[in-house]
Amino acid sequence: MAMGGESRSKGAGATLAERLNHLFAHMHPPGAPYTNAYVAEEISAGTEEYGGVRVTEQYLSMLRNGKRTNPSPELLRALAKFFAVPVGYLLGDLSQPQVARVEEEVRFLAAMRDQRVRAIALRSVGLPPEVQDSLTTIISQFRQQMNLPSDPPEQGGDRRGE
């Protein structure tokens, strides 16, 4: 799980390229991130699921590097569906609290790809709330002892800069 120095939110105020790159980097199954070719093929092949939208690997690349900035609403809907985020996130139309909620879900899903994190989370299921609170306190104490921030940084940046 890479951590960078980027602290800007990927939603409000970010470019479409930044929001797309954020999703490509963090919204994928365990293993390697999705490639432009894979996403283009999935969207183009899933005609019913993605509304008949066709997109090429090259066009996705241009969207991600900012050379193209005005894709069709249909393509944005298909990309939002593929990455399981509201289309407003890609449009940059969400309020800051809505963006924060989407990005928190992205962080959660990225963290849950780590088998050890998933094991810790699953073991806490069913425990009384006060025990879960105690576990949170213990984890915070370990983070403090290791000179880590009290809250883990988001993938690709540090939440404190939002």
Side-chain angles (χ1 to χ4, degrees):
M1 296 188 171
M3 294 178 213
E6 193 177 331
S7 61
R8 185 166 139 183
S9 169
K10 299 294 174 253
T15 67
L16 174 60
E18 290 171 323
R19 292 186 300 269
L20 274 175
N21 285 322
H22 183 73
L23 293 175
F24 269 84
H26 304 294
M27 292 296 288
H28 58 82
Y34 292 125
T35 64
N36 293 335
Y38 179 83
V39 173
E41 183 178 317
E42 287 293 308
I43 288 175
S44 297
T47 53
E48 278 190 41
E49 185 177 0
Y50 296 107
V53 171
R54 303 209 41 89
V55 64
T56 65
E57 170 185 0
Q58 294 78 15
Y59 190 70
L60 280 179
S61 177
M62 289 188 283
L63 287 174
R64 291 182 66 194
N65 67 29
K67 289 184 180 174
R68 295 283 187 264
T69 58
N70 196 18
S72 71
E74 294 80 16
L75 177 56
L76 289 175
R77 278 194 290 275
L79 287 165
K81 184 174 181 96
F82 180 86
F83 287 110
V85 295
V87 71
Y89 178 77
L90 290 175
L91 290 168
D93 286 346
L94 299 182
S95 68
Q96 191 55 45
Q98 291 169 319
V99 167
R101 190 170 31 256
V102 169
E103 291 179 349
E104 182 63 28
E105 289 175 18
V106 169
R107 283 189 294 276
F108 171 77
L109 291 172
M112 292 308 286
R113 284 195 305 263
D114 183 316
Q115 181 66 33
R116 292 173 302 231
V117 171
R118 198 168 45 247
I120 291 168
L122 289 173
R123 284 186 176 108
S124 71
V125 172
L127 294 174
E130 59 274 8
V131 174
Q132 291 177 349
D133 290 342
S134 294
L135 290 171
T136 300
T137 300
I138 291 166
I139 291 170
S140 294
Q141 289 170 347
F142 275 118
R143 292 187 66 81
Q144 185 178 16
Q145 288 174 0
M146 298 180 78
N147 294 320
L148 295 170
S150 58
D151 289 322
E154 71 171 277
Q155 303 299 299
D158 187 333
R159 273 193 300 169
R160 293 172 293 177
E162 289 180 6

